Amino acid sequence: MPPPFPCKELRVIESVRFAKYIISAEGAWQRVHIAAYTIEIILIQRSFQKMSQAIQRVFSGVQPTGNLHLGNYLGAIKRFVEMQSSYECIYCVVDLHAITQDRSVWGGPEELARSTREVTAAYLASGIDPAAHIVFNQSQVAAHSELAWIFNCVARVGWLNRMTQFKDKAGKNRENASVGLYAYPNLMAADILAYRATHVPVGEDQKQHLE
């Protein structure tokens, strides 16, 4: 049985599972995933060799909700590319975040899968190097949802009530909004802490969640 909290060993297990999933897809995706698995091993070896030395690690992601636009590139992906030379980078396609919104936004399972491939292709086309950094699909690593559930049990309703993004996105239809949208900050915290990220580039609307 895997440990209850995400750890380096658990991350390897999940990476292997993701590798098996990707092998059945296109060859390019297979290479991306195997590269991610290899880097995962390298990170583990490096952490044992120099545990006293803090690793400067970036974690961030893009939601696969519809067509990419210039704002995605200028506001996020372009910056991701620039950070590669200075940090260990983990870039994610955050499909679990996408489904916190109404189905009309993320389009259902088939559209979500297509959009996930599109965001990944944009990462690679923009210059992110999968041989040197990690690129992966959030929902394929169970540590994200497992740690988010633990945070759901630890966080307090009063903390989440202070988050303005839920109020903005739910609007007047708050009673019909997703519980996942309400607990969005907990999933975001799980994303970050699962990899012990030291740098998290986010948009203005996400800064409050980093509290």
Side-chain angles (χ1 to χ4, degrees):
M1 180 178 293
F5 291 89
C7 64
K8 295 182 183 303
E9 289 76 16
L10 178 60
R11 286 167 55 199
V12 172
I13 292 170
E14 296 301 337
S15 292
V16 172
R17 181 185 302 171
F18 186 30
K20 292 178 180 178
Y21 173 82
I22 288 299
I23 282 173
S24 63
E26 301 173 5
W29 284 81
Q30 180 179 345
R31 288 196 296 274
V32 168
H33 189 65
I34 291 175
Y37 171 63
T38 303
I39 295 301
E40 195 79 56
I41 296 295
I42 291 173
L43 286 177
I44 292 169
Q45 292 174 341
R46 190 177 302 164
S47 67
F48 280 104
Q49 290 169 356
K50 294 186 178 181
M51 294 184 69
S52 60
Q53 181 179 347
I55 296 176
Q56 299 296 296
R57 181 175 299 146
V58 170
F59 178 91
S60 197
V62 172
Q63 285 194 32
T65 49
N67 294 328
L68 288 169
H69 50 75
L70 188 60
N72 292 125
Y73 178 72
L74 294 179
I77 299 178
K78 185 174 182 290
R79 188 178 179 191
F80 294 172
V81 174
E82 294 169 349
M83 299 182 81
Q84 291 183 105
S85 60
S86 303
Y87 304 97
E88 287 184 349
C89 299
I90 302 174
Y91 294 133
C92 185
V93 184
V94 287
D95 54 339
L96 294 178
H97 285 290
I99 64 174
T100 63
Q101 302 179 74
D102 189 80
R103 183 179 174 129
S104 63
V105 176
W106 55 274
E110 292 184 2
E111 179 62 21
L112 184 65
R114 187 197 66 77
S115 296
T116 297
R117 291 191 293 271
E118 184 180 74
V119 171
T120 305
Y123 278 157
L124 303 183
S126 297
I128 291 175
D129 182 3
H133 303 280
I134 298 173
V135 177
F136 73 105
N137 180 199
Q138 181 188 30
S139 64
Q140 297 301 317
V141 179
H144 292 265
S145 53
E146 291 170 356
L147 185 54
W149 175 252
I150 293 172
F151 286 165
N152 285 345
C153 298
V154 172
R156 295 296 175 255
V157 172
W159 303 350
L160 295 176
N161 282 340
R162 292 197 294 271
M163 299 295 104
T164 59
Q165 191 184 52
F166 173 77
K167 299 172 185 176
D168 293 340
K169 287 192 173 183
K172 296 179 180 179
N173 199 30
R174 191 174 303 177
E175 291 298 319
N176 291 322
S178 163
V179 172
L181 181 61
Y182 184 72
Y184 186 108
N186 293 343
L187 178 57
M188 187 173 176
D191 295 336
I192 297 166
L193 295 180
Y195 300 98
R196 297 175 175 85
T198 57
H199 295 71
V200 186
V202 297
E204 288 294 327
D205 61 332
Q206 301 289 326
K207 285 186 176 180
Q208 189 184 32
H209 295 168
L210 294 182
E211 292 179 354

